[in-house]
Amino acid sequence: QVQLVESGGGLVQPGGSLRLSCVGSGFTLEDYAIGWFRQAPGKDHEGISCTTRGNGDPYYADSVKGRFTISRDNAKNTVYLQMNGLQPEDTGTYYCAPVMTVGVMCSMDIRLRDDWGQGTEVTVSS
């Protein structure tokens, strides 16, 4: 069964850090571009980062650029999202998903699957 499972969320104070994990099973994550998305309460899903297949080149939305870092560990079939300098507006449920490759880049808007995983919740509050 093809599955992605997110973990690593939690409650953190403003300025704090978290590292999210996205573990793949039933397929080889390295063969796909993978994106991270988030959904704030009452809002639509927002693509925030993606990493290309193969080289793992990273791309970021302006809202997280300079604070978040996406990376891969192909041996563990895992994609990470290191989140530093967290702010209350980063609160939400975070998801990973396979995304479309566009040229040599990855897309933070076009997923290859319609369904979402369970996600992992991030709350930034003092």
Side-chain angles (χ1 to χ4, degrees):
Q1 182 180 2
V2 175
Q3 195 174 13
L4 286 171
V5 178
E6 306 92 342
S7 65
L11 172 63
V12 64
Q13 292 186 340
S17 299
L18 286 172
R19 188 177 79 158
L20 307 184
S21 298
C22 169
V23 180
S25 60
F27 72 110
T28 301
L29 224 59
E30 183 180 6
D31 294 339
Y32 292 86
I34 301 296
W36 279 99
F37 301 78
R38 67 185 179 190
Q39 186 178 29
K43 295 189 177 181
D44 291 335
H45 289 85
E46 173 193 12
I48 57 173
S49 182
C50 64
T51 176
T52 59
R53 61 189 179 192
N55 286 344
D57 293 333
Y59 294 88
Y60 302 99
D62 288 344
S63 58
V64 305
K65 195 174 295 182
R67 300 187 297 127
F68 292 9
T69 302
I70 192 170
S71 63
R72 289 179 177 264
D73 186 336
N74 292 328
K76 295 183 177 179
N77 217 34
T78 301
V79 172
Y80 300 102
L81 187 69
Q82 177 67 43
M83 306 188 297
N84 299 328
L86 284 162
Q87 299 301 320
E89 54 265 34
D90 295 314
T91 293
T93 304
Y94 285 67
Y95 304 87
C96 61
V99 295
M100 182 170 289
T101 293
V102 181
V104 297
M105 300 172 61
C106 50
S107 168
M108 287 181 281
D109 297 316
I110 305 172
R111 293 176 293 129
L112 297 182
R113 294 179 59 167
D114 291 333
D115 58 325
W116 294 102
Q118 65 182 22
T120 185
E121 293 210 20
V122 172
T123 303
V124 185
S125 175
S126 55

